[in-house]
Amino acid sequence: MKRFVVLFAPLLLAPCIFGQTAAEAKTFLDDTGKKLFDLSLEAGQAGWIQSTYITDDTEAIAAKANERFIAESVRAAKATVRFDKVNLPPDQRRMMTVLKNGLVLAAPSNPAEGAEVTRLGASLEGAYGKGKYCPEDPGGKSKPCVDIEAITRVFANSTNTNELLDAWRGWHTISRPMRKDFQRFVELSNKGARELGFKDTGAMWRSKYDMPADDFAKEVDRLWQQVRPLYVSLHSYVRWKLREKYGADLVPANGPIPAHLLGNIWAQDWSNVYKLVAPAEADKGYDLTDILKKRNTQPLDMVHYGENFFKSLGFAPLPATFWERSMFIKPRDRDVVCHASAWDLDNIEDLRIKMCIDINEEDFITIHHELGHNFYQRAYDKQPFLFRDSANDGFHEAIGDTIALSVTPEYLVKIGLLDKAPDASKDIGLLLARALEKVAFLPFGLMIDQWRWKVFSGDIPPDQYNKGWWDLRLKYQGVAPSGPRSETDFDPGAKYHVAADVPYTRYFLSFIMQFQFHRALAQAAGCPPTGSSTPLNRCSIYDNREAGRRLNNMLVMGLSKPWQDAMFELTGQRQLDATAILDYFAPLQKWLDVQNKGKPTGW
C-alpha cells in the first residue's frame, strides 16, 4: 500500500571536487533539504491530482514535477561524493548516506533520457489505473468493461470457476501493452543507477538497509527459510480443501494451485477462500463485513474507527485538512487509482488517504494500515527533512499492520461492534483466517522483487520476462498460471507495484516485522498476563498508553538512526526475527499438522 515517497531525479553534474570543508557540507545539506522539500511538495500535489483525476494532461504534469524532483535528488546524490573524506558529525554523515541510498529511480544524467524515464513511469502507472477488461458474450456482443474494483469483487464473492477464470485472464490482458515501455524503463533506470556507482537498480534498492546489498539479500533468504515450513503447511491444507471443492481435474493432489482459485487476482491474499477451507468447528465466530453492513456503516465511519484506535494510544487526532482533502470513495465522473495509499504532501501536516472504500472487513483493516502511515509521517515531522521517513521502508508498511493485529474480538467488543468475544475454541478459525491473509502473502511479498532484481541484473532477459515471473511464482508460492502463458503476455504488469515502480520487499519485511512489533507491544501492554494462557493472537494494545508511548518513541526517530536502532527502541532486538510469526500461529501449526497427516505436502 503505497504512500507518497521520494522517488527519483536527473541532471548534468559538475565534476566532483574534493577538499571540501565541514561548513560547506552543512551548507550543502541545508540547501539540498530545502530544495527537496519544495520539490517534493510540488511533486506530491501533482501526483495526487494524477492519481485522483487520470488524464493525459495530469500524467504529463505529474511526470514534469517528478522530473524536477528527480533531477535535484540525483544531483544531490551524486554531489555527496565531494564530502566522502570530510570529517562530519554523525547526523550529517547519515544525511549524506540517505541522499546516496534513498532513490527508487535514478534517472540518467542525459536530460532527454531523464525526461523519457519519468514520462514512462507516469505512463505505466496511468495504464494500470485506466486498465479495464472488456469481455464479449458468446454472441459476439460487448459486455460492460470492468476495472480492478469489479474484478476484486468477483474474486471476493464467486466460486464459479468459469467466471473466475474469465476474470483472471481478462485482467491479465491490461498489462500486455506495457511490455515494451517497461523494457525501456528498465534500461534507463539501470543507466541512472550505474551513474551513481551501483551495479544496477536492484542493487541500488538493496543498498538502503544499513548493510551491504548482498548481505541484505542473504538476510531476506534467512527470514524466508524461518517461515517457509508454516507456509508449506498452509498451502498443503488449502490445496486439498480446494481439491475437495473443485475436483481433481482442476486442483492437483501434489502440485501447484491454479492462481484463479485462491480468492485474489494475484493469489497474494487467500482470505476469500476461508469459507471454502474452514471446517465447521473452526468458524471464527463472527462476520465483520456483515456486522458493518447491518449497522449501515459509511466510508467515513470506517476511517473514524481507525483514527480512534491511534487516539486511544495517546496520539493526537488527524488534522481537519485530512477529512477535507482525502479521497474516500470512487468518483463517478473520472478514472482514479483506487489502490489504497497514504500521503503526506507537505511532509508536515497535509496528511491524506486515497481509497475507494467498500464496507467490508478487508477495507476496515486496510484503513488501520493506511492511517499507520499517516501517524508515522506526522510523528517524525520534527526531524530534519532528510530524516522524515521510516527507519526502513518495511517499517512504514509494518506499523499500520501492527495495529491491525490488535483488531481482535476483544477490541471489537470494546468499540461496540461485537456484543461478546467468541471463546478460545474459536481461535483456530481466527488464526486460519489471518494466516490466509498474512502467511499466504509471504512468498508473494518476496518474489515480486526477486523477479525485478533478476530483471535489473539481466538474469531474466526481456524475452523471458513472463517465463521468469511464473518460474519464481512456482518456486516460492507453489502457484501456477490459469492456462497457457507466453511472452506475448506481461503478467507482472498486472500488479500495481510493478507498473508503478514501487519496491515490494518492504511488504515482505513488514509482514515479518509487524509480528515482531506486535509481540513486543503486547508485552509492554501486559499481554498475555504473567501466568496466563492467553495466546498472543488474542492480545490487543487498544487503549494502552504504555504501548502507545513505546510505539511513539520509535516513530519519532524517523530515518535519523539505522533501522537496527529503531528496532531496538521498540522491541529490544537489533535483528529481524521471524520467530514472532511462528509464536503467533503456533496453535494453528499444530492443528494443520493434524489436518495434513497422510496428505501430500510441497509441490
Side-chain angles (χ1 to χ4, degrees), residues 93-224:
R93 177 52 62 197
R94 182 160 181 81
M95 288 183 189
M96 295 289 185
T97 300
V98 167
L99 283 171
K100 282 184 180 179
N101 296 341
L103 301 174
V104 170
L105 170 65
S109 56
N110 178 286
E113 291 178 332
E116 181 183 4
V117 77
T118 54
R119 178 187 59 78
L120 288 171
S123 177
L124 286 165
E125 182 177 11
Y128 181 94
K130 292 182 288 189
K132 291 182 177 65
Y133 166 46
C134 301
E136 292 187 354
D137 67 18
K141 296 180 180 179
S142 294
K143 294 182 178 180
C145 296
V146 291
D147 61 11
I148 187 58
E149 293 295 297
I151 293 283
T152 298
R153 286 192 287 272
V154 169
F155 278 88
N157 300 309
S158 179
T159 56
N160 181 312
T161 56
N162 290 330
E163 184 179 20
L164 292 169
L165 181 59
D166 180 68
W168 189 92
R169 288 175 174 170
W171 180 251
H172 283 79
T173 63
I174 69 113
S175 53
R176 287 174 182 166
M178 299 180 190
R179 188 184 183 111
K180 183 178 178 181
D181 282 352
F182 182 82
Q183 181 179 341
R184 177 61 173 163
F185 183 85
V186 168
E187 293 172 2
L188 294 173
S189 175
N190 274 341
K191 184 173 182 180
R194 287 169 185 143
E195 289 179 4
L196 284 173
F198 298 101
K199 289 190 297 185
D200 54 58
T201 299
M204 184 177 75
W205 287 4
R206 296 191 300 275
S207 72
K208 64 185 300 180
Y209 292 97
D210 296 305
M211 61 177 66
D214 290 344
D215 289 355
F216 176 70
K218 293 175 184 176
E219 179 70 354
V220 169
D221 287 338
R222 179 186 68 82
L223 293 166
W224 169 237

Side-chain angles (χ1 to χ4, degrees), residues 439-514:
V439 178
F441 174 83
L442 290 169
F444 185 83
L446 184 66
M447 63 78 49
I448 294 285
D449 280 352
Q450 295 288 328
W451 179 80
R452 281 191 290 196
W453 294 348
K454 290 177 181 293
V455 166
F456 287 132
S457 71
D459 289 345
I460 296 178
D463 62 356
Q464 294 182 28
Y465 277 172
N466 227 48
K467 178 181 183 300
W469 175 258
W470 286 106
D471 285 349
L472 288 171
R473 295 200 68 177
L474 176 63
K475 174 182 176 180
Y476 287 106
Q477 282 188 285
V479 168
S482 299
R485 312 305 290 166
S486 73
E487 294 304 324
T488 61
D489 299 303
F490 184 56
D491 295 333
K495 176 63 180 169
Y496 170 80
H497 299 75
V498 174
D501 194 41
V502 179
Y504 212 75
T505 301
R506 63 180 65 167
Y507 300 102
F508 173 78
L509 295 177
S510 79
F511 273 52
I512 300 293
M513 287 191 291
Q514 64 190 251

Side-chain angles (χ1 to χ4, degrees), residues 395 398 402 513-521 567 570-571:
F395 274 67
T402 299
M513 287 191 291
Q514 64 190 251
F515 289 93
Q516 193 172 356
F517 292 168
H518 176 68
R519 182 171 64 182
L521 289 172
M567 174 69 75
L570 181 60
T571 68

Side-chain angles (χ1 to χ4, degrees), residues 57-77:
D57 290 333
T58 60
E59 286 182 7
I61 292 168
K64 281 293 184 183
N66 265 335
E67 184 182 345
R68 287 188 286 272
F69 181 72
I70 289 165
E72 180 58 26
S73 300
V74 171
R75 183 202 67 79

Side-chain angles (χ1 to χ4, degrees), residues 254-300:
N254 58 1
I257 302 172
H260 69 294
L261 299 181
L262 287 164
N264 175 272
I265 185 64
W266 306 286
Q268 72 176 60
D269 179 335
W270 302 352
S271 300
N272 289 320
V273 303
Y274 177 82
K275 56 186 177 290
L276 305 180
V277 305
E281 68 274 14
D283 179 70
K284 67 178 184 176
Y286 62 90
D287 183 336
L288 183 55
T289 297
D290 186 58
I291 292 169
L292 292 168
K293 288 182 176 178
K294 285 181 176 177
R295 288 173 171 264
N296 195 30
T297 306
Q298 299 300 307
L300 283 181

